[in-house]
Amino acid sequence: MIWLLFALMLLGGLLVVVWPMLRLERRLSIASGSAALIVIALTAGLYAQIGSPGADPGETTGPPDIDAMVAALDARLAGNPDDVEGWKMLGRSYMQLQRYDRAVYAFEQALDREGGDNGQTLADLGEAVTLAEGAGVTGRAAQLIESAIAAAPNNPKALFYGGIAAFERNDRERAASRWEALLALSPPPEVQSVLRQRIAEWRGEAVPQQE
């Protein structure tokens, strides 16, 4: 399902986007292919949601206009505001377009309709607030991430941002523990290498060399 596809691939993408917030000496390097996969997933998901209005099913069309597709989904939700999955798709779409304020709004709409306790949506909203405010994982963003961890202790995104939040408040032990939990979820090898290095640094241990 497209929702599972998004969840799996966004982990690689968000590592690239958020890592500079840590202000550490080394930078994360992940194959650019992960970004391409996210774009493919975005396009496929939007087509599944809104299709191509007015197009002949057998007609071959050119490259999709992503902005137009997102705008169409946004307009459709105005007339069908109880579509929780549609709000989530819209939030993820705005994240990829780097329109973080709009992503915050979309995830808020989804969370309100779910009762406010869905761990994945809490994590998605926490990420959107983090990037919209540009102040690190603090304040409201940190509260959302903590709520996400409480609701879904093994959520990769929640653990990732939860580690950053702990690091930013100088709780390195908790930061290391959360990224160890993330490491136990078997992320891609490139991500594992970075996680192990940061965990070692935060625990004051010898930093393993990159393979």
Side-chain angles (χ1 to χ4, degrees):
M1 295 177 63
I2 188 64
W3 314 113
L4 178 59
L5 188 61
F6 262 109
L8 291 173
M9 291 189 296
L10 279 175
L11 175 60
L14 66 89
L15 280 167
V16 176
V17 172
V18 180
W19 190 259
M21 292 180 185
L22 292 179
R23 298 180 179 87
L24 296 174
E25 182 177 352
R26 299 184 185 86
R27 287 295 188 95
L28 176 62
S29 175
I30 295 180
S32 59
S34 62
L37 288 174
I38 291 172
V39 173
I40 293 170
L42 171 63
T43 303
L46 286 172
Y47 265 126
Q49 278 287 324
I50 64 176
S52 181
D56 185 326
E59 180 182 355
T60 300
T61 60
D65 184 334
I66 301 300
D67 288 314
M69 293 167 68
V70 174
L73 177 57
D74 201 339
R76 185 175 71 77
L77 286 168
N80 185 23
D82 292 329
D83 182 356
V84 174
E85 296 302 327
W87 284 115
K88 292 180 183 180
M89 173 65 77
L90 184 64
R92 294 180 181 120
S93 302
Y94 277 129
M95 289 293 289
Q96 296 307 314
L97 295 175
Q98 299 183 22
R99 297 180 62 183
Y100 302 125
D101 289 341
R102 293 299 298 166
V104 168
Y105 176 76
F107 286 130
E108 286 175 339
Q109 298 305 305
L111 189 64
D112 286 346
R113 288 162 175 78
E114 291 177 323
D117 59 358
N118 183 293
Q120 182 61 54
T121 310
L122 284 163
D124 289 337
L125 178 55
E127 177 188 33
V129 170
T130 297
L131 297 179
E133 295 182 348
V137 191
T138 59
R140 185 191 180 199
Q143 292 174 0
L144 287 164
I145 294 300
E146 293 300 326
S147 296
I149 292 175
N154 292 320
N155 182 278
K157 184 180 292 187
L159 289 170
F160 175 74
Y161 282 102
I164 295 176
F167 174 82
E168 290 186 342
R169 61 177 180 263
N170 204 31
D171 187 350
R172 297 196 172 203
E173 178 59 34
R174 187 178 297 272
S177 295
R178 286 177 171 174
W179 278 25
E180 283 177 337
L182 180 57
L183 185 61
L185 298 178
S186 299
E190 298 88 346
V191 176
Q192 291 184 33
S193 176
V194 173
L195 293 176
R196 289 192 179 95
Q197 289 183 50
R198 300 303 170 244
I199 290 168
E201 288 180 359
W202 293 342
R203 291 195 185 281
E205 301 170 350
V207 177
Q209 298 297 315
Q210 289 186 348
E211 296 180 2

